[in-house]
Amino acid sequence: MFKAVPVLMLSVLLMACSPQDPPPDSDTGDTPTETVAVAAIPAAPTGASRPVITLGADPWCPHNCMAGSEPEGYMLDIARDVFEAAGYQVEYLNVSWARALQMARDGLLDAVVGAFVTDAPDFVFPQEPQGRSEIAFYTPADSPWIYEGLGSLEGQTLLAINGYSYSEELDRYIARHNDEPTQVWMLSGPSPLNRAINLLDQRRADVYPEDVYVMTWAQNANPDIAPLRQGGVLHQDDTFIAFSPAKAESAELAELLSQGTARLRETGRMQAILADYGLSED
């Protein structure tokens, strides 16, 4: 039986999270839901207390938001619906994405939230995705730039988040230019989105790939932040809660989540969850 990471240990790990990577110059600031037949879902182990599943990620609202916030993100709502119905308790914490992946690889987290298969191909993925993502390029509002393939990125300073996967082709481009800060500027930390928006607004960077739902949510939630322009769509992909490759129970948990996600779709509960965030399955 697996166990939750003790609160003290999590506190220590959170204190040890990677700091915000410095930009290429001297500035180091950061701006901070009819009855159908479905397969039976296995019950959690019996015992005096419910076993805990610990999830981690950086905030990527509306997919997953700040831990303890209201709302907490539709992927957390899905996880809680499925796992709590099966007798588990779900705990969720925020760390940088790169740190969350490493903690899961080390067995300190049971799963990460909001993963593409290309983010962590060594992780255990459910067959049913928990969400969908569309990645678009964002630019300053007055920029005329349009994405027309990787060649159109030449001469542009691209912002990217450490540990993120965007698409196979863009991931290769980022890896190729990772040591050229005028081409690729890597950001890290638990909440880098506002940082990226500010850098674009200050004309210190040119292009930033981000999920359309995430950018729309951020702009609606923070009307004072700089409006950005969409310069073309890069990629669409499924998103998952992906389980630690270091834990023996990961395959069982992934199957439980896959069955539960399918059940939520079949019963209409998934649409109700998404509607709370202004989203739909279409």
Side-chain angles (χ1 to χ4, degrees):
M1 180 183 298
F2 59 104
K3 300 179 181 178
V5 179
V7 172
L8 178 58
M9 181 182 296
L10 288 178
S11 299
V12 172
L13 289 166
L14 286 169
M15 292 174 64
C17 292
S18 302
Q20 180 76 18
D21 286 349
D25 58 23
S26 60
D27 177 22
T28 57
D30 192 9
T31 55
T33 134
E34 62 188 331
T35 303
V36 295
V38 296
I41 297 177
T46 58
S49 60
R50 294 185 299 164
V52 176
I53 298 172
T54 306
L55 312 178
D58 61 338
W60 202 43
C61 211
H63 304 284
N64 56 282
C65 306
M66 289 291 293
S69 66
E70 183 58 45
E72 204 169 26
Y74 75 85
M75 296 186 81
L76 268 297
D77 294 348
I78 291 168
R80 294 192 192 283
D81 262 36
V82 172
F83 288 123
E84 290 179 1
Y88 292 88
Q89 178 181 341
V90 174
E91 291 187 356
Y92 169 53
L93 67 149
N94 295 137
V95 293
S96 73
W97 184 241
R99 181 64 174 160
L101 292 173
Q102 190 58 54
M103 289 175 68
R105 287 189 174 106
D106 292 341
L108 300 173
L109 290 175
D110 294 302
V112 296
V113 187
F116 299 142
V117 172
T118 51
D119 274 308
D122 54 323
F123 279 47
V124 181
F125 283 77
Q127 290 187 341
E128 286 282 335
Q130 284 65 62
R132 185 83 178 159
S133 175
E134 179 178 77
I135 303 295
F137 288 103
Y138 290 88
T139 75
D142 59 355
S143 171
W145 181 87
I146 296 291
Y147 179 67
E148 296 175 333
L150 293 180
S152 62
L153 290 171
E154 296 297 331
Q156 305 293 311
T157 299
L158 175 78
L159 297 172
I161 297 176
N162 184 33
Y164 270 37
S165 175
Y166 296 97
S167 72
E168 290 186 4
E169 62 175 357
L170 186 59
D171 292 350
R172 287 194 295 268
Y173 176 88
I174 290 170
R176 198 160 59 243
H177 296 286
N178 195 35
D179 295 328
E180 303 172 55
T182 60
Q183 288 288 105
V184 175
W185 182 343
M186 298 301 295
L187 304 176
S188 64
S191 187
L193 176 58
N194 284 352
R195 176 75 172 141
I197 292 171
N198 285 338
L199 289 171
L200 291 177
D201 184 47
Q202 296 164 11
R203 307 305 192 270
R204 296 177 58 202
D206 301 306
V207 185
Y208 173 57
E210 184 55 271
D211 177 270
V212 173
Y213 288 158
V214 172
M215 185 62 76
T216 301
W217 186 277
Q219 299 260 347
N220 290 340
N222 302 281
D224 294 333
I225 66 176
L228 300 178
R229 166 186 165 275
Q230 192 179 120
V233 172
L234 169 68
H235 184 63
Q236 296 183 0
D237 207 349
D238 292 326
T239 57
F240 297 85
I241 294 173
F243 293 84
S244 166
K247 289 180 169 271
E249 62 277 356
S250 287
E252 179 183 356
L253 292 176
E255 177 61 20
L256 192 158
L257 180 59
S258 191
Q259 291 181 21
T261 301
R263 174 176 58 84
L264 295 182
R265 290 194 170 102
E266 290 163 348
T267 61
R269 171 64 179 151
M270 177 71 78
Q271 186 54 55
I273 291 173
L274 293 173
D276 288 341
Y277 297 84
L279 306 176
S280 73
E281 293 189 84
D282 300 330

